[in-house]
Amino acid sequence: MQIFSKETKAAILAAARLKTESVPVPEWGDGVVVIVTEMSGVARDAYYAKHKGEKDVPISIVQADLLISTVVDESGTPVFDESDVETLRAQGSAALDRVADAAMRLNGMRPNAVEEAAKNSAAAPSGDSGSNSPATSESQ
């Protein structure tokens, strides 16, 4: 285990360690999978600032903006940009919902996410689940 300290700070912070998730989108073609990433703090600030104070924004616009902020290629480069908003809005809602749901989950943007995180961090520090069930991996 590497302890965060002044000596290790540069090495630890040098590379972004953003979570990603591969999401199948069969509506976009046979075998199509998109990579959804966690946003950096700066990217999340920009996403929220874009809709600050707006009311009644169509969900398809919010989802398109979320996909622009979170869908990347294998090297981590964004796939979509502002010119793709209307094209994304024209896609089927099932595909948009699936990708946007993954983006919201990775970025703690689901309703009650803050409360759930606080509840999970208050769990027993022993790491013992208290059940006889085997532990499962997040990737399953």
Side-chain angles (χ1 to χ4, degrees):
M1 169 173 42
Q2 187 172 13
I3 304 295
F4 190 82
S5 68
K6 284 194 176 270
E7 292 76 26
T8 62
K9 177 175 78 170
I12 291 172
L13 297 179
R17 289 171 179 81
L18 302 175
K19 297 177 195 170
T20 61
E21 181 177 325
S22 296
V23 180
V25 188
E27 297 88 348
W28 293 354
D30 189 36
V32 171
V33 174
V34 299
I35 301 170
V36 178
T37 187
E38 177 182 18
M39 288 185 261
S40 68
V42 172
R44 189 170 174 162
D45 289 347
Y47 173 79
Y48 279 123
K50 186 168 184 177
H51 295 291
K52 184 178 181 180
E54 292 181 349
K55 295 183 189 275
D56 302 323
V57 178
I59 188 73
S60 62
I61 290 177
V62 173
Q63 287 179 323
D65 288 339
L66 186 59
L67 271 60
I68 289 168
S69 299
T70 60
V71 174
V72 297
D73 64 17
E74 291 175 315
S75 69
T77 303
V79 173
F80 299 119
D81 61 40
E82 292 297 322
S83 69
D84 296 313
V85 170
E86 292 307 316
T87 304
L88 286 167
R89 292 183 71 201
Q91 299 302 308
S93 61
L96 290 175
D97 288 347
R98 187 176 318 108
V99 179
D101 185 57
M104 288 187 299
R105 185 174 53 258
L106 279 173
N107 287 285
M109 299 168 74
R110 298 175 111 191
N112 303 320
V114 173
E115 293 85 355
E116 287 177 21
K119 184 174 102 177
N120 289 339
S121 68
S126 69
D128 186 28
S129 70
S131 75
N132 292 330
S133 302
T136 58
S137 154
E138 183 179 335
S139 64
Q140 290 181 339

